[in-house]
Amino acid sequence: MNTKDLAFAYKVRHALDESVRDIPASTAERLAKAREIALSHKKQAAVAEALAPRAALAGAAAPSTRSQPLRAWLGRASFIVPLVVLVLGLIGIHQAEKRQQLMDAASIDAEVLTGELPLSAYLDHGFDAYLAKGSN
């Protein structure tokens, strides 16, 4: 600021200080509350800025506002993608187990039908339960 600007600012400040005596009390209270609100917003913005992560490299450009929606989307995707992979993996495991059970049952049925099953299998209590379950 040059001296001319400083002189003008001083005159404005002096005029405002002189006219503050003529302001009604209710207006002064509203202005004081507005000032407190503005200062609290300024403090919150300063705290948020201080807590924001800084760029690791010196001289790195600040992220543009266009990249903010992309970052938000990537943040959500970083949670959703592993969840989808987990669900698909569990479905795959379930299908593989189901297929294995069907293959085991088919093997037992084929051995029963071909008569290659040993006699001890017919005496097994678990086999009787299997046959009772299969006939329902």
Side-chain angles (χ1 to χ4, degrees):
M1 280 185 148
N2 58 28
T3 56
K4 193 174 185 180
D5 290 338
L6 286 174
F8 177 72
Y10 178 76
K11 287 180 185 178
V12 169
R13 189 188 82 180
H14 184 68
L16 289 173
D17 286 343
E18 295 250 339
S19 64
V20 79
R21 293 182 206 120
D22 300 334
I23 294 177
S26 62
T27 304
E29 287 177 23
R30 285 195 339 233
L31 288 172
K33 287 180 184 177
R35 183 177 186 273
E36 288 175 16
I37 291 171
L39 286 174
S40 70
H41 288 297
K42 181 71 173 170
K43 285 179 185 177
Q44 289 173 355
V47 168
E49 184 178 320
L51 295 177
R54 300 287 179 196
L57 300 174
S64 67
T65 57
R66 294 181 69 197
S67 68
Q68 295 302 327
L70 178 63
R71 280 192 178 181
W73 184 84
L74 286 175
R76 286 189 295 267
S78 68
F79 173 73
I80 292 172
V81 169
L83 185 63
V84 168
V85 169
L86 176 68
V87 169
L88 291 176
L90 290 175
I91 290 171
I93 291 171
H94 176 70
Q95 292 294 328
E97 289 291 324
K98 194 173 181 182
R99 181 176 170 83
Q100 185 62 39
Q101 287 176 355
L102 286 173
M103 295 300 287
D104 290 344
S107 173
I108 291 173
D109 288 344
E111 289 179 5
V112 167
L113 291 174
T114 60
E116 296 177 8
L117 197 61
L119 290 176
S120 62
Y122 292 109
L123 300 175
D124 187 18
H125 294 292
F127 186 72
D128 290 337
Y130 172 76
L131 290 177
K133 180 181 167 188
S135 65
N136 288 336

